[in-house]
Amino acid sequence: MQSLKFLFLSCVFVFINNVVDVLCFQPPSVTSSFKAAHLSKKLLTTRTTTSSSLLQSSVADTTEEPSAAIISGSPAISARDLTCSFDGGGTYQLQSASYILPRGARVGLVGRNGCGKSTFLRILAESCGYGNDGSNAKVRNNLPYSGEVECPKDVTVAFVEQEPPSPSGITVSDALLGVTDTNSKGVSSGTNIDVYEAVRQYRVASLNAETDPDGFATAATLMDSKDGWAVLTKADEVSTRLRVKQLENQPLSSLSGGERKRVALAAALVREPDVLILDEPTNHLDLAAIQWLSDLIREKRKMTLLTVTHDRAFLGDVCTSILELDRGSFYTYEGTYATYLEGKEERLANEDQAFREAKAKYKKELDWMRRQPQARETKQKAREQAFYKLEKSLKPRAKDPTLELSEDGQRRLGGNILKMRNVSLSFGDKKMLNDFSYDFNKGDRIGIVGRNGVGKSTFIKILTGEQSVDSGTIDSGETVVFGVYDQMGIPFLDEEQSCLDFVKERVEAGSGKSMAEAPQEAMKLLKQFQFPRARWPERVSMLSGGERRRLQLLSVLTKRPNFLIMDEPTNDVDLDTLRALESYLEDFKGVLVVVSHDRSFTDEVTNHLFVFEGNGVVKDYLGSLSDYAECLVEQEKEDETSSTGPADEEKKEAYKESKQERVQRMNSIKQMKKDLNRIEPLIEKLKAKAAEIQSNIDSSADEGWTVLADLTESLNKVEEEIEEKELEWLELAEKLEELE
């Protein structure tokens, strides 16, 4: 009886505890969620990399909970409590940041230049065995980070760096098959040979088939046993698509940066990894290659993707979620890039509200601190500690970048700008331009597109006078001042030079003097181009790729050009800076020529294209780069269809003509709508300006006749401009109505 009573009381006690637990239930924190996932993953065999550094002690004092972005799904890679700083804690690229990359996810990593995106990718890749033949030690990059990265053994990882290495003694064909150093070559027997080594041996043996038929037969047998023929076919297809097939026998060390990037990308795709990590993959790719890469990634539904890219069209094609790295922490947004922008705006609005509330509380606590005696009680000391913690958190976030120049930032452009008449140029048997003619006009916004190697960069050199022509004439106006943003970047002769010293020496002041004579102007420009004061003394060699590009952009725009030429300006530039550049170019009143494969950027800043089709042929295409890309895809499909059987030539020509008319009509409609959308805000701005001048006139009755006359003249000019824009809008609206 006594035991039954005890059992009854025990059950009552357990029931009460369960009720209390339910009533007091709190959702699990990010840390506890991560621990649960971490414990479940421990059941699997994992390879773990844990790195410690002097950062650990400093971070422990300043952080409470790790910032984490965790998505549901079986993890491909897990990162926990990552902290990284290259200046001993002054600026954190990662600060107690945690993230789980689920299998099958398609994630685009975004953030400002220098925030740590490439650093994070390198930490993940090298911790998972990339670049070190499966070992866990970091071999190429001495990354000062602490934290833990886990990757299951059954997950293979491939990483394409922003600037791939070029080891000596390795050919392109070796690199395509995963050979990274000379020590990994030359294995000729044994059971440890993988399929990629079998393919490599077969390629070598095929070159010596006549002199060593036995070796060739052995290599072919090995190919059969390893099923190497599929890999060989894949390698040939990928290298052809990415235009590195012709480079197979060349050493990596002899290639340009763009060629090495395409080789590294091809090598990663040949291996078909479980996780593909890409750092700016579209750099140095032409439009067709970017489209092919997008299609290939979409086809590999089981492959996990984590990519950093400035190409918003590529981002939209291949990614289903966005991971933002901001001030050392991760934030995840499911959906498209547009969804991310909306989510980020909401997040920042909440942060701003919290900052204002914290600031108000800080003022109150500061007043309390000033009124307190030195000797304090325990409760007062706790409040004092809370005050210092609050004070430390009141560091304002960086503002979104803007590119702003003074009103005299563009030189006057005369009526005679640049005229090209019957211009031709050939390099040997290769025609770059064939009888090309065009008159550049004020307000021209031209995108230059075409395959790599068809003459786009040569055309830019012709415009600026760097390249002479075989025949034809080029007449440049006296007021034309070229500003050229070169895709190769600007040469930094002294890598130890600081940012401020570089600007002083290289950028012309508005007065035409050297920046060495105008240090105040140099500081002003660095602020305008979003270089915080802490970065001014930083060595140029320590800048990120994007920061170097921004420094280059500064040096070009502050020369006050009225004929601006930009060769691949979106390479290595973060998305925030891209939007700021688009805003700047929207108000640019001179001639703009852009060479770019970035569809979103080119669509935004240009209104027609020069399409370089090869063999010196250049066509003027009225429409956007996205329209042109769609036409290319449609044309390829038609070519494939027409090659399957005979077709009636007359019907084919009639269809071709009607198709050209449809495309021309669609392009005209899109362009007119774009122009209407551009004119409407301009009219509103002019009306606001007119109202402001009228208000000044009304309040300046006692200023004298001269002041009133000047204001009236300004008002008349603005009203004339309003009338001109309204007339232009009406004409476009009428034409658009006829076409639709």
Side-chain angles (χ1 to χ4, degrees):
M1 187 68 180
Q2 193 73 14
S3 60
L4 288 174
K5 183 177 180 181
F6 177 79
L7 180 61
F8 172 77
L9 292 175
S10 298
C11 291
V12 170
F13 179 77
V14 170
F15 173 78
I16 292 173
N17 276 343
N18 288 340
V19 170
V20 171
D21 287 343
V22 170
L23 293 175
C24 299
F25 173 75
Q26 295 289 335
S29 65
V30 168
T31 305
S32 61
S33 296
F34 193 97
K35 286 181 179 178
H38 174 67
L39 290 173
S40 66
K41 291 196 299 295
K42 282 296 183 182
L43 297 176
L44 300 173
T45 304
T46 62
R47 51 179 182 263
T48 303
T49 297
T50 304
S51 172
S52 60
S53 71
L54 296 176
L55 298 173
Q56 288 177 325
S57 59
S58 63
V59 172
D61 296 334
T62 59
T63 57
E64 289 187 332
E65 294 287 342
S67 70
I70 299 178
I71 312 173
S72 61
S74 177
I77 302 177
S78 303
R80 183 183 181 187
D81 292 341
L82 292 183
T83 294
C84 179
S85 176
F86 290 97
D87 58 2
T91 302
Y92 285 98
Q93 282 69 43
L94 298 165
Q95 191 167 16
S96 297
S98 299
Y99 178 66
I100 292 179
L101 179 65
R103 300 195 191 201
R106 303 295 174 90
V107 182
L109 176 60
V110 302
R112 290 179 176 174
N113 287 135
C115 72
K117 301 187 297 295
S118 296
T119 299
F120 176 60
L121 296 189
R122 290 203 306 271
I123 289 173
L124 292 187
E126 294 186 9
S127 298
C128 295
Y130 168 81
N132 50 12
D133 299 328
S135 66
N136 286 328
K138 297 183 291 297
V139 295
R140 283 201 313 277
N141 297 292
N142 185 21
L143 297 172
Y145 78 92
S146 64
E148 185 178 271
V149 177
E150 294 180 350
C151 180
K153 276 189 175 180
D154 64 336
V155 173
T156 57
V157 177
F159 175 39
V160 180
E161 301 176 65
Q162 190 169 340
E163 296 181 4
S166 54
S168 58
I170 302 298
T171 64
V172 170
S173 60
D174 290 335
L176 289 174
L177 298 173
V179 177
T180 57
D181 59 74
T182 53
N183 294 329
S184 60
K185 297 196 299 182
V187 181
S188 58
S189 61
T191 59
N192 293 328
I193 297 178
D194 64 11
V195 63
Y196 302 101
E197 175 61 19
V199 175
R200 194 195 70 80
Q201 291 186 25
Y202 174 77
R203 278 182 167 174
V204 174
S206 63
L207 297 175
N208 305 311
E210 294 184 1
T211 58
D212 186 10
D214 293 336
F216 178 74
T218 301
T221 302
L222 186 61
M223 284 281 285
D224 292 332
S225 64
K226 297 292 183 179
D227 194 21
W229 305 109
V231 172
L232 181 62
T233 302
K234 182 71 174 178
D236 287 341
E237 178 195 0
V238 172
S239 61
T240 301
R241 290 282 192 171
L242 295 179
R243 296 184 306 101
V244 295
K245 180 70 176 175
Q246 73 280 7
L247 305 174
E248 284 187 343
N249 296 324
Q250 296 187 28
L252 281 179
S253 56
S254 69
L255 303 184
S256 66
E259 289 170 334
R260 288 202 306 273
K261 184 63 175 279
R262 296 201 303 274
V263 170
L265 185 58
L269 295 174
V270 167
R271 298 190 75 85
E272 297 186 335
D274 299 312
V275 178
L276 182 61
I277 302 177
L278 303 176
D279 195 353
E280 295 292 358
T282 62
N283 286 2
H284 310 292
L285 296 186
D286 58 28
L287 194 60
I290 293 173
Q291 189 62 53
W292 176 80
L293 177 61
S294 299
D295 294 340
L296 179 67
I297 291 175
R298 286 198 300 267
E299 289 172 5
K300 304 293 182 182
R301 297 185 180 277
K302 293 184 179 180
M303 185 173 67
T304 304
L305 175 70
L306 177 61
T307 181
V308 172
T309 179
H310 64 270
D311 190 330
R312 285 158 293 182
F314 178 79
L315 194 67
D317 284 345
V318 302
C319 295
T320 57
S321 64
I322 302 296
L323 176 67
E324 181 185 17
L325 177 56
D326 184 19
R327 291 163 287 169
S329 299
F330 290 122
Y331 303 90
T332 300
Y333 305 84
E334 292 299 326
T336 63
Y337 180 72
T339 305
Y340 150 70
L341 291 178
E342 295 173 0
K344 179 182 178 180
E345 185 177 355
E346 182 179 354
R347 174 176 69 82
L348 294 182
N350 292 336
E351 286 186 8
D352 290 342
Q353 178 62 28
F355 180 80
R356 287 191 294 269
E357 293 174 356
K359 198 170 183 180
K361 183 178 180 181
Y362 173 76
K363 289 181 180 179
K364 180 180 177 181
E365 294 299 297
L366 179 62
D367 180 64
W368 177 83
M369 287 284 291
R370 288 170 176 170
R371 289 186 285 105
Q372 295 305 305
Q374 290 296 325
R376 296 184 174 94
E377 299 177 359
T378 304
K379 290 184 178 180
Q380 291 176 325
K381 288 183 178 180
R383 186 172 178 180
E384 180 184 350
Q385 292 173 357
F387 167 80
Y388 288 122
K389 184 177 179 181
L390 177 63
E391 184 179 46
K392 199 169 187 178
S393 68
L394 285 177
K395 183 179 179 181
R397 63 178 176 84
K399 296 181 180 179
D400 289 336
T402 57
L403 300 180
E404 298 177 352
L405 297 178
S406 58
E407 292 183 0
D408 61 344
Q410 297 174 27
R411 301 177 192 265
R412 186 186 69 84
L413 191 59
N416 182 24
I417 300 176
L418 189 68
K419 297 180 179 179
M420 303 179 71
R421 291 285 182 272
N422 308 112
V423 177
S424 296
L425 174 66
S426 298
F427 293 140
D429 296 333
K430 187 175 183 180
K431 287 185 179 181
M432 310 306 291
L433 274 183
N434 185 22
D435 198 33
F436 177 80
S437 298
Y438 187 78
D439 288 352
F440 288 89
N441 299 299
K442 186 176 181 179
D444 264 349
R445 309 173 76 82
I446 304 169
I448 299 181
V449 299
R451 300 189 313 275
N452 291 334
V454 294
K456 301 188 300 294
S457 296
T458 302
F459 182 73
I460 288 177
K461 293 180 180 179
I462 292 174
L463 293 180
T464 58
E466 295 181 49
Q467 175 66 53
S468 59
V469 297
D470 297 335
S471 61
T473 60
I474 303 174
D475 181 20
S476 179
E478 294 180 357
T479 61
V480 172
V481 177
F482 289 104
V484 181
Y485 182 94
D486 191 349
Q487 69 167 318
M488 301 306 295
I490 44 180
F492 295 97
L493 301 179
D494 183 4
E495 293 283 342
E496 299 302 309
Q497 189 178 40
S498 70
C499 293
L500 182 58
D501 289 339
F502 173 81
V503 175
K504 288 179 181 178
E505 290 184 7
R506 293 293 301 270
V507 183
E508 296 177 357
S511 60
K513 296 181 180 179
S514 167
M515 276 298 155
E517 303 175 25
Q520 295 301 321
E521 182 68 14
M523 296 177 187
K524 177 183 175 183
L525 292 172
L526 285 168
K527 288 180 182 178
Q528 289 174 332
F529 283 80
Q530 299 301 309
F531 283 93
R533 186 179 292 272
R535 301 293 279 173
W536 295 357
E538 187 67 80
R539 291 172 297 170
V540 171
S541 59
M542 297 301 294
L543 297 180
S544 68
E547 287 174 317
R548 287 192 176 202
R549 285 293 188 179
R550 192 144 33 94
L551 199 61
Q552 178 188 359
L553 188 61
L554 181 155
S555 67
V556 172
L557 295 184
T558 51
K559 291 179 180 178
R560 301 167 59 215
N562 50 28
F563 198 120
L564 184 58
I565 300 172
M566 311 194 80
D567 191 0
E568 297 293 353
T570 64
N571 284 0
D572 305 324
V573 177
D574 63 64
L575 296 174
D576 288 339
T577 302
L578 268 187
R579 292 199 303 273
L581 178 59
E582 288 171 352
S583 177
Y584 170 83
L585 293 177
E586 183 180 350
D587 296 328
F588 184 73
K589 295 180 174 61
V591 176
L592 175 65
V593 176
V594 174
V595 182
S596 179
H597 298 118
D598 188 323
R599 286 165 285 173
S600 296
F601 178 79
T602 306
D603 290 351
E604 188 68 28
V605 303
T606 65
N607 50 33
H608 68 114
L609 309 175
F610 283 170
V611 180
F612 282 67
E613 297 187 341
N615 201 31
V617 177
V618 180
K619 291 186 177 179
D620 194 349
Y621 182 89
L622 182 61
S624 68
L625 185 56
S626 295
D627 295 335
Y628 176 67
E630 291 175 4
C631 289
L632 280 181
V633 173
E634 185 179 346
Q635 186 63 52
E636 287 181 1
K637 291 180 180 178
E638 289 176 5
D639 291 342
E640 292 174 0
T641 303
S642 63
S643 63
T644 59
D648 185 3
E649 290 297 328
E650 292 183 2
K651 290 183 179 179
K652 194 174 180 181
E653 286 298 322
Y655 173 76
K656 187 176 180 180
E657 290 177 5
S658 62
K659 177 195 169 186
Q660 290 175 347
E661 291 175 0
R662 291 197 309 273
V663 170
Q664 186 70 21
R665 177 174 165 274
M666 289 174 59
N667 290 336
S668 298
I669 290 174
K670 288 183 179 181
Q671 184 59 46
M672 287 179 185
K673 288 182 178 179
K674 188 175 181 179
D675 289 340
L676 287 173
N677 292 332
R678 174 181 56 83
I679 293 172
E680 287 172 358
L682 290 177
I683 293 175
E684 294 302 320
K685 287 182 181 179
L686 289 171
K687 286 183 177 179
K689 187 175 181 180
E692 182 182 354
I693 296 174
Q694 184 63 55
S695 177
N696 291 336
I697 292 175
D698 295 339
S699 61
S700 303
D702 299 330
E703 295 294 333
W705 171 252
T706 304
V707 174
L708 289 173
D710 290 342
L711 289 173
T712 302
E713 184 180 357
S714 299
L715 180 60
N716 291 336
K717 288 182 179 178
V718 173
E719 288 179 342
E720 287 176 4
E721 197 169 351
I722 291 173
E723 185 178 353
E724 180 184 337
K725 293 297 180 184
E726 287 179 339
L727 182 61
E728 183 181 357
W729 189 92
L730 288 172
E731 290 176 352
L732 283 171
E734 289 176 0
K735 291 180 180 178
L736 182 60
E737 187 177 357
E738 291 175 1
L739 287 174
E740 291 183 330

